Amino acid sequence: MLSTLLLCFLTAAPVGAAPMRAPPTSAAGTSFTPPLRGHNRQFLDTADVRDWEEWLPTGMFHGVTTNPTLLERAQEPCTIENIQALAYKALNTPDFYCQEFMCQAWGESAQDLYECGMQLAEPDPDRIVVKVPVTMEGVKAATQLIRDGDIRVCLTGCYDSKQALIAAGIGAEYLAPYQGRMTDAG
């Protein structure tokens, strides 16, 4: 059963990303494709390893994303150690083709979110992306993770297009819009 597909939008070029190859051109030098083609990444939104085993081998997904609610649904403990073990499995199983693993930090304050995020990303900061909510405390934590910790960040829980400006302003690599809730809100 496919849980949910999370569509994330890059707000900036990924850290260490290979340069995009030049798009094909006509004899007149006109490009046939837009310059940002291929920068929309789809993530399998589940902590259920059975879903990973079914869907990741298709190659349709750039990675996996999860959060405390999805961990609970999959009956996985929401602990730093367990999430790190899940990240290792997702990123190192050859048939999964998983390039990135997103996991959500938790805590009451910006400092709590920062410390949790640092621990979550520690095993592989190049491929583990820390999600933090687009709240005041979340934005403070995201700023600190990016600037002080050199951690890749996805701002999650985006309900308004104006929040994309916040993500871009602090240098978050990803923004996870909640399209259903945005549509419901008008």
Side-chain angles (χ1 to χ4, degrees), residues 30-107:
T30 308
S31 173
F32 293 124
T33 57
L36 295 179
R37 182 176 178 184
H39 280 261
N40 192 7
R41 295 183 175 171
Q42 298 179 34
F43 291 81
L44 188 58
D45 194 20
T46 181
D48 190 329
V49 175
R50 292 170 301 187
D51 287 340
W52 300 359
E53 291 166 348
E54 181 177 356
W55 290 98
L56 290 177
T58 67
M60 293 176 4
F61 298 97
H62 183 74
V64 170
T65 182
T66 191
N67 62 44
T69 301
L70 295 174
L71 288 161
E72 183 179 337
R73 244 183 245 156
Q75 299 179 343
E76 291 283 352
C78 186
T79 64
I80 300 291
E81 296 78 19
N82 187 53
I83 294 170
Q84 289 175 343
L86 289 169
Y88 182 85
K89 181 174 183 70
L91 294 169
N92 293 292
T93 301
D95 292 345
F96 283 1
Y97 308 110
C98 185
Q99 301 300 306
E100 295 177 340
F101 184 87
M102 289 192 189
C103 48
Q104 188 164 331
W106 61 87

Side-chain angles (χ1 to χ4, degrees), residues 155-180:
L155 286 184
T156 189
C158 175
Y159 303 119
D160 189 300
S161 60
K162 295 176 188 94
Q163 291 172 314
L165 297 173
I166 295 169
I170 67 166
E173 193 168 320
Y174 288 101
L175 175 66
Y178 285 22
Q179 186 63 41

Side-chain angles (χ1 to χ4, degrees), residues 105-118:
W106 61 87
E108 294 290 319
S109 68
Q111 188 62 32
D112 292 342
L113 290 165
Y114 170 78
E115 290 171 6
C116 182
M118 289 298 292

